[in-house]
Amino acid sequence: MRPLLPTPHGGSPRAGRLARLARLARRTALFAASGLLAAVAGTAALSQPATAATGLTQVTGFGSNPGNLSMYAYVPAGLPADAPLVVALHGCTQTANDYYTNSGWTKFADQYGFAVVFPQTGSANNSLSCFTWFDPADDTRGKGEAASVVQMVTKAESLYGSDADRVFVTGLSAGGGMTADLLAAYPDVFAGGSVDSGLPAQCATTQTAASTCQYGSLNLTAAQWGDKVRAQYPGYGGPWPRVAIWQGTSDYTVQSVNGTELRDQWTNVHGIPQTPSSTTSLPGGTTLTSYNDASGRPAVQLYQISGMGHGLAVDPGSGPEQCGTTAAYFLDTICSSYYTAKFWGLDQAGGGGTDPGDGGGTTLPAPTGLAAGTITNTSVALSWSATQGAASYRVYRNGTQVGTPTGTTFTDTGLTAATTYSYTVAAVGSNGTAGPASSALSATTTGFTATCSTATNYAHVAAGRAHTSGGYTYANGSNQNMGLYNVFVTHTLKQTAAGYWVLADSGC
């Protein structure tokens, strides 16, 4: 995308309604304390959820709107009360309709059952219609565009009966930068977020400093990044949002270092190390690294897409893991909306929430005794102790659901050799409500992952990939002749097993 700067919880229905009213009252108090409360139609009484999808529609009268934004929404047909809510922020030069049309979020809103709010900024705020992620007058608690977005959340909760404990925010580019700022300023509003080709929270506080964030690194420690988040809501003691980070390795508008800086920032906020709990290969040249909290649940996930430039990752098609359409800054690689929705738990009954009372029924305890049996280079066999009352179980690999067995065993297949995976299991009652996940189990597949190295014959020998005899160089293991032993002959060697290399000059 062009530069991000201008250029010149089960219970009775009645109990659920009362809980929702209480949450709305807390949100109303938040705005009153900030001096931002305006007449918001329907805040005092819940409206019935929409009964039919009507496409993208504009919503007016959502509050004092100090950030001068427009509110658009998509509501699936038959959306029940207490459903989740997703807020999706477009990138520079885009509109709410662009994000609605191309991002893929509406597919999963229909499939999993949640409403989507699409805030829109315009040229009156920024010449490129970027969200102003670098200005404290717009991106801090109770101020400007950030406050307008949260007023939209309150309006949506009122109109659609959305669950205030299951509100999530995602955004691309400048919208991604604003997403990180919203998560920092309003951890009491958002249960999770996804920053797509975006910037760390409060990376810049002036327009001039914004370019340094986009094109380089501030070279801060993880603790310094975390302090930028903690400073946005001093004294906050509640849970922090779960954060997904999507970044292309060939993004030259928002350099890929922003992805790792976001990782450092949010792992520090969660109080967990920057060492991955697991690493997984996904479609589209995507590498997923997960960072689990003390319970073994992924709190931060970093998705790095090899060779992708600046944009939102989509994967057009009708498959269950596909979504979106290609357009300017919507890039054909992998369906980021699908994996983000799964990470947030939107595919689960009561998923992503922290209030079991809103889940539709009593939840079962976490299964115990999770263990790995036979492990091959492509599969892991799992077993666990039965949970009384369970109708089925949900098996999660690196936080993504991969199976729904009715018994207490499951074999996960199609895995990558020599890779470590993290597994948890949750019990599902007869009411369809999933309980908490078990303690995490790590399992590493067998086998060997082939790697390639291109270097001079001299360097191959020095690295232990080859040896010399009679002035010639030979690949270790295969003993293929590589030519004279010097620094002027270069070859590519592929390691296909421990201690075994073959010539791969034609391709690796």
Side-chain angles (χ1 to χ4, degrees):
M1 184 163 286
R2 292 159 62 187
L4 309 187
L5 304 175
T7 57
H9 281 319
S12 67
R14 180 174 181 273
R17 288 193 296 272
L18 291 174
R20 192 159 64 252
L21 282 167
R23 288 192 293 269
L24 286 170
R26 292 196 298 270
R27 189 69 49 73
T28 300
L30 182 156
F31 284 123
S34 303
L36 296 173
L37 182 63
V40 180
T43 300
L46 294 175
S47 301
Q48 292 298 317
T51 58
T54 56
L56 186 67
T57 58
Q58 186 169 7
V59 180
T60 58
F62 57 85
S64 58
N65 191 18
N68 189 34
L69 302 181
S70 299
M71 176 180 178
Y72 293 84
Y74 175 75
V75 183
L79 182 71
D82 287 320
L85 176 68
V86 171
V87 178
L89 303 171
H90 64 77
C92 297
T93 74
Q94 295 178 336
T95 65
N97 187 65
D98 291 331
Y99 224 63
Y100 161 80
T101 301
N102 300 306
S103 67
W105 275 110
T106 56
K107 171 179 177 175
F108 302 109
D110 290 335
Q111 183 173 331
Y112 300 144
F114 56 86
V116 187
V117 167
F118 295 91
Q120 179 174 290
T121 187
S123 58
N125 288 5
N126 179 282
S127 63
L128 294 178
S129 297
C130 305
F131 286 98
T132 315
W133 56 273
F134 49 82
D135 187 347
D138 272 308
D139 65 9
T140 54
R141 189 175 178 88
K143 299 291 182 64
E145 294 177 356
S148 289
V149 170
V150 176
Q151 288 182 352
M152 294 180 197
V153 170
T154 300
K155 181 69 171 182
E157 290 169 354
S158 172
L159 289 176
Y160 316 130
S162 303
D163 184 351
D165 290 327
R166 291 189 290 161
V167 180
F168 304 89
V169 60
T170 181
L172 166 65
S173 191
M178 182 60 77
T179 292
D181 290 335
L182 285 165
L183 295 173
Y186 295 99
D188 52 336
V189 173
F190 298 104
S194 178
V195 182
D196 296 81
S197 301
L199 300 301
Q202 295 302 312
C203 185
T205 56
T206 67
Q207 180 175 308
T208 301
S211 61
T212 301
C213 294
Q214 286 181 237
Y215 305 123
S217 172
L218 297 189
N219 297 313
L220 302 181
T221 65
Q224 288 172 321
W225 280 119
D227 287 344
K228 287 181 176 291
V229 171
R230 289 181 284 268
Q232 294 306 296
Y233 190 5
Y236 175 69
W240 290 100
R242 303 169 68 207
V243 182
I245 303 154
W246 291 84
Q247 182 66 51
T249 63
S250 296
D251 187 339
Y252 303 117
T253 298
V254 176
Q255 292 284 336
S256 59
V257 68
N258 285 280
T260 53
E261 288 176 338
L262 277 159
R263 182 272 316 275
D264 291 349
Q265 182 172 67
W266 288 100
T267 51
N268 180 264
V269 168
H270 279 276
I272 56 181
Q274 287 73 57
T275 303
S277 303
S278 62
T279 301
T280 309
S281 295
L282 296 178
T286 305
T287 299
L288 163 63
T289 49
S290 294
Y291 304 82
N292 296 350
D293 59 21
S295 69
R297 185 188 191 204
V300 178
Q301 290 192 326
L302 172 60
Y303 298 79
Q304 294 170 301
I305 307 173
S306 178
M308 191 183 87
H310 188 65
L312 181 74
V314 297
D315 183 16
S318 58
E321 299 182 6
Q322 293 182 289
C323 74
T325 56
T326 56
Y329 310 116
F330 294 95
L331 307 179
D332 188 356
T333 50
I334 182 174
C335 174
S336 58
S337 299
Y338 168 79
Y339 287 95
T340 298
K342 300 277 279 189
F343 171 60
W344 290 340
L346 297 180
D347 60 317
Q348 307 168 39
T354 57
D355 181 2
D358 286 343
T362 302
T363 58
L364 299 175
T368 59
L370 179 61
T374 302
I375 299 177
T376 71
N377 62 337
T378 60
S379 66
V380 174
L382 302 169
S383 65
W384 54 91
S385 301
T387 300
Q388 185 175 0
S392 62
Y393 298 88
R394 292 177 180 168
V395 181
Y396 301 92
R397 180 210 311 139
N398 299 333
T400 298
Q401 184 177 320
V402 293
T404 55
T406 56
T408 57
T409 61
F410 176 77
T411 299
D412 190 20
T413 59
L415 306 179
T416 302
T419 302
T420 299
Y421 297 93
S422 177
Y423 291 96
T424 56
V425 179
V428 181
S430 58
N431 58 7
T433 300
S438 67
S439 297
L441 169 73
S442 293
T444 303
T445 52
T446 61
F448 186 87
T449 302
T451 57
C452 291
S453 302
T454 300
T456 67
N457 282 352
Y458 178 85
H460 280 308
V461 172
R465 294 184 288 265
H467 60 278
T468 65
S469 177
Y472 286 87
T473 307
Y474 298 87
N476 286 346
S478 69
N479 286 319
Q480 289 175 296
N481 191 326
M482 300 166 57
L484 293 173
Y485 173 53
N486 57 39
V487 296
F488 304 108
V489 179
T490 297
H491 286 292
T492 296
L493 290 181
K494 181 176 182 180
Q495 187 177 16
T496 59
Y500 197 96
W501 282 263
V502 297
L503 281 168
D505 292 336
S506 60
C508 188

